[in-house]
Amino acid sequence: MTLHITRLRESATFDRAAIAEIQRAAETGIYDIRGWGAKRPLPHFDDLLFLGASMSRYPLEGYRERCATDIVLGDRHAKFPLHLDIPVTIAGMSFGALSGRAKEALGRGASEVGTSTTTGDGGMTPEERGQSKNLVYQYLPSRYGMNPDDLRKADAIEVVLGQGAKPGGGGMLLGQKITERVARMRTLPQGVDQRSASRHPDWTGPDDLTIKIAELREITDWEKPIYVKVGATRTYYDVKLAVHAGADVVVVDGMQGGTAATQEVFIEHVGIPTLAAIPQAVQALQELGMHRKVQLIVSGGIRTGADVAKAMALGADAVAIGTAALIALGDNDPRWQSDYEALGSSAGFYDDFQDGKDPAGITTQDPELQMRFDPVEGGRRLANYLRVLTMEAQTIARACGKSHLQHLEPEDLVAITIEAAAMARVPLAGTSWIPGHDNRVGL
């Protein structure tokens, strides 16, 4: 008897991806590790729309009227805050996870457009410091590569308490990526898998963070802005505690944020969406009277100038990009399609950064693969992408009648789904209704 295909029905619970994962786990007995960020559908910036000017609002003329993009970060306490030309920064990505040539390209691209890049775990490389006009030094729980002299060489310090892809969890760098140079910088044995700590070794709570920030200020003679980065979970409370501890800048990384390598169960099931985290962070800052005084940087899934503008309209001062920056450099480029296929993947789908076999030469320590990547060309591509993000955000801001990107506000936004309206705390399009809020007049 022939079974007609129309009688086959896929389970919504046990779909093909779920079945494949059960089969893989049963065969190997280990959990799955990968890079990138969450792949499940989540409420995101695409669920918001701008209300451009028409009759009741007056737009700016794009060719004649200025829309400024500059931003100052860290002027609460630091002697030398960062003055950036655009509000799009490069997130922390480590040497080890990335090649030295990729780190150099990030510095080149960021400097060309007047923004900052960030070291990531594992210390500061001469390639990145040499090409970065503004370099933020990440101070992580692992302390890998931590050097007080490098703290002084940096332009700002970011104390990392969590990442969006793995809040509450540490990072991973498998042995095949721990070369002699990476091992030396991190004081690790060469070729042995490394797991970064999930919490700082010298404090157990927020009071200890206050002591650590004071210590970092003393080491750097109060010159450098101090950032505190948290993975988006209990964002309202975490932001308040970071401000009380003395942070000049708070970085909130939503669950769409990427990673070089961690457990997939973490990536897909821990944390909250970026869209839900921003209003919580802004509310915390507003209640402390610190909104715009302590700057808020948002990361996790930023792709377009529209994303940049929407994050800023919700109250962010700037955004940070990681995955998008790697794509701009050449990650998942179709010209390496045959190489991706040989690894069992395809251009646009490759996420096995932990294996160190990246055909594009970006997320690898293999000398031959690294030579495929030109840091000068990569920097040029990144700079082009950053310019486009900025111009797109300016275009939207002018359409809303704003002369600076920071003048965008929640009133400029509506949501097209109930979930997005509730998370972003803006009205559902065509209504005045914000789910969860009492919208009656006068109340």
Side-chain angles (χ1 to χ4, degrees):
M1 178 180 174
T2 303
L3 181 65
H4 295 290
I5 194 71
T6 54
R7 294 176 59 188
L8 300 179
R9 182 180 176 188
E10 184 173 6
S11 168
T13 304
F14 291 93
D15 60 13
R16 276 167 284 185
I19 291 171
E21 174 54 23
I22 292 171
Q23 292 168 339
R24 186 209 61 78
E27 181 178 349
T28 64
I30 59 175
Y31 49 66
D32 195 21
I33 299 172
R34 66 170 175 86
W36 280 43
K39 295 185 177 182
R40 64 190 298 175
L42 293 165
H44 199 38
F45 295 115
D46 287 345
D47 296 322
L48 301 181
L49 298 174
F50 276 102
L51 299 175
S54 183
M55 178 67 75
S56 58
R57 296 292 184 274
Y58 197 70
L60 298 187
E61 171 54 57
Y63 294 99
R64 299 176 184 175
E65 295 178 286
R66 175 177 171 81
C67 178
T69 63
D70 60 302
I71 178 71
V72 177
L73 298 174
D75 56 352
R76 182 186 182 194
H77 295 300
K79 294 179 184 177
F80 303 124
L82 268 61
H83 294 258
L84 306 182
D85 293 336
I86 64 171
V88 186
T89 67
I90 306 300
M93 294 177 280
S94 76
F95 169 66
L98 305 188
S99 69
R101 295 167 74 88
K103 294 295 286 179
E104 176 185 341
L106 293 174
R108 287 180 179 274
S111 297
E112 188 172 328
V113 296
T115 191
S116 64
T117 189
T118 311
T119 61
D121 206 353
M124 179 188 292
T125 64
E127 296 98 320
E128 189 171 32
R129 176 65 280 186
Q131 298 297 333
S132 299
K133 180 180 177 182
N134 291 293
L135 180 61
V136 181
Y137 188 98
Q138 280 198 330
Y139 187 84
L140 292 107
S142 70
R143 301 290 198 273
Y144 290 139
M146 208 293 288
N147 184 330
D149 290 331
D150 287 341
L151 290 176
R152 298 183 187 99
K153 292 177 186 175
D155 300 291
I157 299 167
E158 182 173 286
V159 181
V160 179
L161 304 183
Q163 290 179 239
K166 49 192 176 187
M172 295 182 179
L173 191 64
L174 300 190
Q176 55 263 41
K177 295 180 77 171
I178 302 184
T179 61
E180 187 279 330
R181 183 186 178 193
V182 173
R184 185 176 68 253
M185 286 184 63
R186 298 186 181 217
T187 318
L188 289 169
Q190 185 175 343
V192 177
D193 292 353
Q194 166 260 305
R195 182 191 293 269
S196 298
S198 61
R199 64 187 189 195
H200 287 260
D202 49 357
W203 78 71
T204 58
D207 290 342
D208 294 329
L209 176 58
T210 305
I211 296 170
K212 179 56 65 176
I213 289 177
E215 177 184 307
L216 293 171
R217 292 199 192 281
E218 289 298 319
I219 291 172
T220 59
D221 196 28
W222 288 74
E223 293 180 350
K224 322 293 182 182
I226 306 295
Y227 300 10
V228 172
K229 180 177 181 179
V230 297
T233 54
R234 297 174 175 84
T235 309
Y236 171 82
Y237 299 105
D238 290 344
V239 169
K240 281 201 167 185
L241 289 170
V243 173
H244 280 302
D248 297 302
V249 178
V250 177
V251 182
V252 174
D253 193 22
M255 70 176 289
Q256 293 98 318
T259 178
T262 200
Q263 302 99 316
E264 183 167 33
V265 70
F266 244 117
I267 296 172
E268 298 288 0
H269 299 284
V270 181
I272 65 173
T274 306
L275 192 64
I278 302 174
Q280 293 184 27
V282 171
Q283 180 185 351
L285 292 171
Q286 289 174 336
E287 289 180 2
L288 294 172
M290 287 294 183
H291 190 221
R292 305 302 188 196
K293 296 178 182 178
V294 171
Q295 287 79 44
L296 174 65
I297 299 176
V298 169
S299 55
I302 303 294
R303 306 151 300 174
T304 67
D307 291 346
V308 175
K310 290 170 185 177
M312 297 186 71
L314 290 175
D317 294 278
V319 303
I321 60 171
T323 302
L326 298 187
I327 295 171
L329 293 184
D331 175 49
N332 271 282
D333 194 301
R335 68 177 173 148
W336 305 115
Q337 176 63 21
S338 61
D339 297 84
Y340 289 124
E341 289 177 353
L343 295 171
S345 188
S346 183
F349 295 86
Y350 182 71
D351 58 15
D352 288 325
F353 298 154
Q354 73 280 358
D355 288 342
K357 299 176 181 178
D358 181 7
I362 295 171
T363 60
T364 181
Q365 300 302 316
D366 184 290
E368 292 186 11
L369 292 175
Q370 287 188 59
M371 292 308 294
R372 293 183 174 187
F373 180 73
D374 179 354
V376 176
E377 172 62 13
R380 184 193 67 82
R381 290 173 57 89
L382 176 60
N384 281 343
Y385 172 59
L386 291 168
R387 289 189 185 100
V388 171
L389 289 183
T390 305
M391 288 188 290
E392 287 177 340
Q394 284 176 298
T395 298
I396 289 172
R398 286 192 181 98
C400 294
K402 313 295 185 178
S403 60
H404 198 293
L405 290 184
Q406 281 198 317
H407 295 169
L408 290 166
E409 55 190 328
E411 191 269 344
D412 296 316
L413 293 170
V414 293
I416 57 173
T417 67
I418 293 175
E419 292 83 359
M423 290 182 182
R425 305 179 188 179
V426 299
L428 190 65
T431 78
S432 60
W433 178 49
I434 301 175
H437 290 244
D438 193 333
N439 304 125
R440 290 174 292 173
V441 175
L443 294 178

